Amino acid sequence: EADIYQTPRYLVIGTGKKITLECSQTMGHDKMYWYQQDPGMELHLIHYSYGVNSTEKGDLSSESTVSRIRTEHFPLTLESARPSHTSQYLCASSGYASSGGYSTDTQYFGPGTRLTVL
Amino acid sequence: GDSVTQMEGPVTLSEEAFLTINCTYTATGYPSLFWYVQYPGEGLQLLLKATKADDKGSNKGFEATYRKETTSFHLEKGSVQVSDSAVYFCALSFNNAGNMLTFGGGTRLMVKP
């Protein structure tokens, strides 16, 4: 099972600030994902990655950007935060685990970052 | 495209009541099926999964059986506790599609003492 971490857990920030939400996993999974969860609970895939130097946009258009320079790290950046970005952001990983030599079709989620933009 | 439909909530039960949360899916082929649980203020946790027809996933007293003939994966628990209060998500994925998850809309369960 993956250990996946997100920091910060809570962030309150003013409009126009640049922010980076951190996501790290320790199992060496090749695939990673970012979801945005609205107050009505629905989950929207906004970014995913199939490996180092691979990033794709998800189903929901987002002004955020992501990078995948290392297998274990998948940060999400907002260049200029706005109140419309207020949401819960969830990171997940799955796939081939280089550290264990196995593959899983299960996505394992981090604890989430709750972002509030004033 | 693929889709997952689960019963709308909130579902409100008394402690020790029987729980069923219905989940049906539409997909081409035979996906893996999942139930995730989200406690207040937290991320999603895998509750159980099934990868082929007639498989039964179980964990913490919860069960769900992969029914190909009815394209269903209903979640059940014989006796709920207050600590089971959470949001439950049904989902499917195909291993050859990047493990992308298609989620249902989520069902909020509230258990009263």
Side-chain angles (χ1 to χ4, degrees):
Chain A
E1 190 163 320
D3 290 322
I4 183 163
Y5 308 96
Q6 291 186 243
T7 56
R9 291 293 312 277
Y10 302 92
L11 180 61
V12 181
I13 202 162
T15 297
K17 299 292 186 183
K18 177 180 179 178
I19 61 168
T20 297
L21 308 184
E22 302 288 350
C23 176
S24 295
Q25 47 100 1
T26 61
M27 292 303 291
H29 283 156
D30 57 345
K31 299 175 181 65
M32 295 188 74
Y33 316 81
W34 275 103
Y35 293 86
Q36 187 173 336
Q37 185 173 30
D38 60 32
M41 305 184 301
E42 194 166 350
L43 291 150
H44 303 282
L45 180 69
I46 52 175
H47 298 284
Y48 61 96
S49 167
Y50 284 164
V52 171
N53 294 325
S54 153
T55 61
E56 302 287 343
K57 291 188 178 296
D59 305 322
L60 180 69
S61 176
S62 173
E63 294 168 350
S64 59
T65 59
V66 292
S67 62
R68 189 92 184 274
I69 298 172
R70 303 199 314 266
T71 297
E72 64 272 20
H73 196 212
F74 192 41
L76 180 146
T77 298
L78 276 167
E79 289 293 334
S80 179
R82 295 208 299 270
S84 60
H85 297 138
T86 294
S87 191
Q88 168 95 329
Y89 292 86
L90 298 170
C91 182
S93 72
S94 77
Y96 178 73
S98 59
S99 57
Y102 68 91
S103 186
T104 177
D105 63 352
T106 300
Q107 286 191 25
Y108 294 96
F109 284 78
T113 294
R114 181 162 296 282
L115 172 65
T116 302
V117 184
L118 303 175
Chain B
D2 303 332
S3 67
V4 175
T5 303
Q6 57 183 110
M7 61 191 292
E8 290 192 22
V11 174
T12 303
L13 295 173
S14 298
E15 205 165 23
E16 299 185 2
F18 185 86
L19 168 71
T20 299
I21 300 178
N22 290 336
C23 172
T24 57
Y25 68 90
T26 302
T28 304
Y30 303 105
S32 295
L33 300 174
F34 305 84
W35 277 102
Y36 284 88
V37 59
Q38 185 176 32
Y39 298 103
E42 298 185 11
L44 274 66
Q45 297 177 23
L46 176 68
L47 183 59
L48 52 85
K49 63 181 278 191
T51 57
K52 61 183 187 295
D54 300 325
D55 267 3
K56 177 186 282 188
S58 61
N59 186 25
K60 300 180 182 179
F62 291 89
E63 293 183 340
T65 301
Y66 191 142
R67 301 288 188 198
K68 185 179 67 173
E69 61 277 10
T70 55
T71 62
S72 64
F73 193 54
H74 304 320
L75 182 69
E76 296 182 336
K77 187 177 185 183
S79 177
V80 293
Q81 306 300 312
V82 173
S83 57
D84 293 326
S85 298
V87 179
Y88 293 81
F89 291 93
C90 185
L92 66 83
S93 79
F94 288 95
N95 189 268
N96 61 356
N99 299 340
M100 292 298 178
L101 282 169
T102 299
F103 284 99
T107 302
R108 186 178 301 277
L109 170 66
M110 295 188 292
V111 181
K112 298 185 175 181

